[in-house]
Amino acid sequence: MKIDSAKSLLALHCAPAKDALSDTEAARLAALLPAWQLEHNRLVRTYAFADYYKTLAFVNALAYVTHQQDHHPELTVTYNRCVVRYDTHSVNQGQGGLSINDFICAAKADALVVETQ
């Protein structure tokens, strides 16, 4: 499958990854998800919500999705924000980096927000 949109990422399922993406490929995939930033070999986005309840509703929905994908982010949760950070610890012989799984889950996280708006 050609990955050329966020929608094409949504159609994929995470699988074990051994090799990190090249910087060029990570930048290409990041361009498909413009709200996300590449920071220190991580894919990062801050989501803003109206209140604590909506923030936690997103966190719980994201926990469900990431459990299904078996690819879990680092989360920082405050009253009306959630910072989501993805990277893949298993790539680069355990040194970490970005894999396609990070972009798949980022697209799925974005879809959760669109569904709740």
Side-chain angles (χ1 to χ4, degrees):
M1 167 184 251
K2 182 178 179 183
I3 302 171
D4 58 0
S5 67
K7 187 176 179 179
S8 60
L9 286 165
L10 281 172
L12 299 175
H13 188 82
C14 292
K18 293 180 185 175
D19 298 317
L21 297 171
S22 68
D23 291 344
T24 302
E25 183 64 0
R28 184 186 78 78
L29 292 172
L32 303 177
L33 303 167
W36 291 80
Q37 304 296 316
L38 293 174
E39 295 179 5
H40 309 290
N41 237 2
R42 288 178 157 183
L43 191 58
V44 180
R45 178 170 178 188
T46 300
Y47 292 93
F49 299 96
D51 55 39
Y52 190 65
Y53 176 82
K54 289 182 181 174
T55 304
L56 287 188
F58 169 76
V59 168
N60 287 324
L62 183 61
Y64 178 80
V65 169
T66 59
H67 180 71
Q68 287 182 319
Q69 297 297 315
D70 195 25
H71 192 69
H72 307 92
E74 177 183 303
L75 302 175
T76 302
V77 180
T78 61
Y79 175 80
N80 63 349
R81 287 186 303 152
C82 179
V83 180
V84 181
R85 294 175 188 88
Y86 276 107
D87 65 324
T88 303
H89 302 285
S90 61
V91 296
N92 287 346
Q93 299 176 345
Q95 298 299 310
L98 290 169
S99 75
I100 187 66
N101 294 338
D102 302 308
F103 294 90
I104 292 168
C105 286
K108 291 180 186 295
D110 284 352
L112 289 173
V113 173
V114 170
E115 289 177 8
T116 61
Q117 298 286 329

